[in-house]
Amino acid sequence: MAIATTVAELSKHVGQTVTLSGWLYNSRSGGKLVFLILRDGTGLCQCVIEKTDAKADNFQTAKRLGQESSLIVEGEVRADERAVGGYELLVRNLRVVQDVEGYPISLKAHGIDFLMKHRHLWFRSQRQWAVMRIRATLIKAIRDYFDSRGFILIDTPIFAPSVGEEAQTLFEVDYFGDPVYLAQTGQLYVESAMMAHRKVYCFGPTFRAEKSKTRRHLTEFWMVEPEIAYADLDDVIELAEDFTYEIVRHVLRERRPELELLERDLSKLEHLTKPFYRLTYSEAVELLHSDKPKALLENDRKEKGARIEELQALIRDKTARMEGEGVKQWKQDKLGGELIEHREELSDLQTEVANVDHHIELAANFKWGSDLGGSDETIIARLYDKPVFVTHYPRGCKAFYMKRNADDPRVVNNLDLLAPEGYGEIIGGSQREDDLDLLLEQMKVDGLETEPYEWYLDLRRYGTVPHGGFGLGLERTVAWICGLKHIRETIPFARMTGRIYP
Ligand code: 4AD
Ligand code: MG
């Protein structure tokens, strides 16, 4: 009897006869052998079918099987260093569950739009498979971190009666005739729970009607938000630092093969040490006004310019080869796929180079008092090899609940954590305004009516204490850990401006 197992377990079955069930990822045949690369959700395994009389049927079937056909194979496990995963199966029996023809995603390259439209299938591709496994592990690392340190999980509502973070990005929903909003944050609710449990966190989907299309913004994203009592800004920073450090270490430990599959430069993550850097907002502004941003971006222009020329040459060359006489169909497909990738990279680089002057100007003319823009954050983050905390932002550009600084009332006790390699803000947080009068004053400045917040104000009326917390964006953190340029691949089904399918 063959033992039913999975690719991940093959090392335990060398020399034994097993069955594997999965899907056909890829195949090739040569002479008397067919190699099926089977994908079973846990890994890839090369299954070898020989053309012998006993297996003549298997051989013929295997030869014509289309990509993503579902199948069950039985055979003997052999260790083979050259095979993907290190093992291969000498197939004795092959059973086809469904014979597939015309699977839309081939192993050659496709454009990103095509892939996003086929997200439900794109999931099966190796890179996407790796990203989702890393995401799942990161979520577990986050939960384990808080659960093992006495934090109580508090689930916060998704229907919210008022602004949580910023009025400009609310999604309004009809709630039996009254307007309510999809939650932008669970923070106000975890503040309330913190008063009961001391250390709490929420972890769930949050919603922001971000109209601009950027590589960092989704309209639906996941955020984890811890909140702690009797804490000032330093306590919150310390927690954010230790937390970020630990969850990255956890993923590095548990998901090394997946990170390698993504070709992530692991040295960058391995060198993560505490403490991270700290800058005040005013110091960040000085940095933007220094000659560093210009030097950095001019260097980009040079490097990207060289790559653009290289890509243009590649595109010319491959287009000519494709149009040449007698080029085989498979070769044309391969070149066509590569061309799509080159053109996408080229168009991204051209946009980036076209923005260089604008970004230099934005940095040079940055005015104390405004919020750091995406390009400013990128510049600051790129000037450091570890995450950077930027603290003490001007009160006017931050949310109403942030604690006014005692020494300089123009600023608040807040923190943003910028991830290195240009990833930018992954955490936003603060000490909270615990003084009822100051909170009311700020709400007035921000034009917020107090009525919907009476329950929140009660927290300042009954046993108020210094406290604070932060929110970490899951998808931006996955992008950083995986080394992905765009956030759209870090969530199973991305929701962005103009994208709601599948
Ligand atoms: O800085 P934000 O807006 O902070 C809050 O919502 C606070 N209430 C958190 C708290 O103190 N409890 O958002 C926190 C993080 C950002 O740093 C970013 O990582 C992520 O959430 N984020 C987004 N991620 C993807 N798409 C978007 N549109 C995002 N907006 C924020
Ligand atoms: Mg923020």
Side-chain angles (χ1 to χ4, degrees):
M1 260 296 278
I3 309 158
T5 188
T6 59
V7 173
E9 301 283 306
L10 284 179
S11 64
K12 297 178 188 154
H13 298 289
V14 177
Q16 296 175 344
T17 298
V18 303
T19 58
L20 291 174
S21 50
W23 299 264
L24 184 60
Y25 193 65
N26 196 6
S27 66
R28 70 195 156 86
S29 52
K32 288 185 160 28
L33 294 173
V34 181
F35 298 94
L36 301 179
I37 305 295
L38 178 91
R39 175 181 77 68
D40 81 339
T42 73
L44 296 179
C45 176
Q46 170 166 296
C47 304
V48 189
I49 302 176
E50 281 176 310
K51 186 178 184 180
T52 58
D53 289 343
K55 294 179 203 155
D57 279 358
N58 285 345
F59 185 82
Q60 290 311 329
T61 310
K63 236 178 132 168
R64 61 165 175 76
L65 270 185
Q67 196 190 334
E68 288 304 316
S69 292
S70 34
L71 49 129
I72 299 172
V73 287
E74 179 187 315
E76 188 188 320
V77 182
R78 211 165 57 174
D80 185 340
E81 273 179 21
R82 293 159 309 170
V84 273
Y87 301 92
E88 66 175 16
L89 199 78
L90 298 178
V91 177
R92 183 190 299 165
N93 229 321
L94 166 68
R95 188 159 82 78
V96 178
V97 180
Q98 187 189 33
D99 191 348
V100 168
E101 230 177 278
Y103 182 67
I105 302 180
S106 66
L107 296 174
K108 67 178 168 93
H110 294 275
I112 185 68
D113 259 333
F114 178 88
L115 292 169
M116 287 302 286
K117 277 192 192 117
H118 291 83
R119 181 58 167 168
H120 52 297
L121 303 176
W122 191 26
F123 262 144
R124 308 179 191 189
S125 302
Q126 279 288 285
R127 287 181 60 87
Q128 299 308 312
W129 175 83
V131 174
M132 284 305 121
R133 288 162 77 89
I134 291 165
R135 177 185 167 104
T137 298
L138 180 62
I139 291 173
K140 178 159 165 34
I142 289 171
R143 292 201 181 287
D144 285 353
Y145 182 91
F146 291 121
D147 292 343
S148 66
R149 285 168 177 78
F151 285 73
I152 300 302
L153 173 70
I154 299 292
D155 298 314
T156 52
I158 285 175
F159 288 133
S162 47
V163 180
E165 200 60 33
E166 43 186 25
Q168 317 85 280
T169 62
L170 289 170
F171 274 115
E172 196 176 301
V173 188
D174 176 83
Y175 193 75
F176 306 114
D178 285 326
V180 299
Y181 310 103
L182 297 182
Q184 297 177 310
T185 169
Q187 181 199 317
L188 307 191
Y189 297 97
V190 282
E191 278 187 61
S192 151
M194 166 278 300
M195 298 284 269
H197 297 278
R198 192 171 194 102
K199 299 200 283 188
V200 296
Y201 73 102
C202 63
F203 193 2
T206 45
F207 305 86
R208 304 221 182 149
E210 309 274 5
K211 282 165 205 91
S212 56
K213 246 189 190 164
T214 80
R215 61 189 175 86
R216 291 183 181 153
H217 289 93
L218 296 166
T219 53
E220 178 179 324
F221 63 98
W222 283 64
M223 181 156 57
V224 57
E225 298 178 87
E227 191 74 23
I228 49 178
Y230 286 99
D232 62 12
L233 181 62
D234 279 337
D235 297 319
V236 177
I237 289 180
E238 205 177 300
L239 177 65
E241 182 174 82
D242 187 59
F243 167 69
T244 306
Y245 173 79
E246 290 296 336
I247 59 177
V248 172
R249 302 296 306 172
H250 183 112
V251 175
L252 262 178
R253 269 196 311 274
E254 304 279 320
R255 289 290 176 216
R256 187 166 278 270
E258 285 83 356
L259 289 164
E260 280 167 357
L261 193 155
L262 293 172
E263 295 170 322
R264 177 65 167 121
D265 179 353
L266 290 180
S267 66
K268 295 254 164 57
L269 297 176
E270 272 159 354
H271 288 149
L272 191 69
T273 48
K274 294 190 292 180
F276 300 165
Y277 299 107
R278 289 182 197 192
L279 279 185
T280 63
Y281 168 90
S282 295
E283 287 166 341
V285 174
E286 270 173 43
L287 199 59
L288 289 175
H289 290 166
S290 74
D291 51 11
K292 285 186 179 155
K294 186 156 192 238
L296 183 80
L297 294 176
E298 288 294 358
N299 188 51
D300 275 3
R301 181 170 8 229
K302 231 171 47 207
E303 280 178 18
K304 287 178 180 167
R307 177 67 184 157
I308 286 174
E309 278 177 25
E310 200 174 283
L311 283 167
Q312 284 166 333
L314 278 170
I315 291 170
R316 272 195 307 274
D317 174 55
K318 289 185 182 175
T319 312
R321 270 160 62 198
M322 236 173 99
E323 287 161 0
E325 248 172 68
V327 184
K328 294 233 168 62
Q329 187 60 46
W330 70 265
K331 185 79 191 168
Q332 278 197 24
D333 288 349
K334 183 164 178 290
L335 288 168
E338 288 167 10
L339 278 169
I340 291 175
E341 276 192 350
H342 292 333
R343 290 202 181 101
E344 269 176 7
E345 189 188 342
L346 179 65
S347 140
D348 284 353
L349 284 172
Q350 282 170 333
T351 313
E352 285 164 30
V353 167
N355 280 329
V356 161
D357 284 326
H358 182 51
H359 290 166
I360 291 177
E361 220 169 283
L362 282 178
N365 298 330
F366 188 87
K367 281 221 166 48
W368 196 100
S370 35
D371 202 359
L372 295 175
S375 65
D376 306 316
E377 274 177 14
T378 307
I379 291 169
I380 296 167
R382 283 182 63 200
L383 293 173
Y384 293 90
D385 58 350
K386 278 196 293 186
V388 196
F389 285 108
V390 184
T391 65
H392 301 98
Y393 278 58
R395 191 140 51 88
C397 65
K398 286 290 174 187
F400 71 97
Y401 54 72
M402 292 190 180
K403 174 90 185 154
R404 193 178 299 196
N405 186 273
D407 302 324
D408 181 359
R410 295 179 309 156
V411 303
V412 286
N413 289 352
N414 81 305
L415 65 127
D416 271 4
L417 182 64
L418 310 184
E421 301 170 70
Y423 279 95
E425 182 192 332
I426 55 169
I427 284 182
S430 72
Q431 185 179 345
R432 318 304 186 190
E433 186 52 81
D434 49 331
D435 182 290
L436 180 63
D437 294 334
L438 292 179
L439 186 58
L440 285 169
E441 194 186 308
Q442 191 59 42
M443 288 175 72
K444 207 174 210 170
V445 173
D446 291 357
L448 292 169
E449 291 199 30
T450 51
E451 204 225 39
Y453 294 96
E454 278 305 323
W455 67 273
Y456 183 68
L457 295 169
D458 269 351
L459 308 177
R460 274 67 178 166
R461 293 187 183 112
Y462 305 110
T464 191
V465 292
H467 67 282
F470 62 82
L472 169 121
L474 180 70
E475 288 75 18
R476 289 194 190 171
T477 310
V478 174
W480 168 43
I481 292 178
C482 292
L484 299 173
K485 223 174 165 180
H486 202 296
I487 198 171
R488 65 193 158 207
E489 288 173 45
T490 64
I491 188 162
F493 293 92
R495 299 292 178 249
M496 296 178 291
T497 329
R499 192 174 300 287
I500 192 88
Y501 177 91

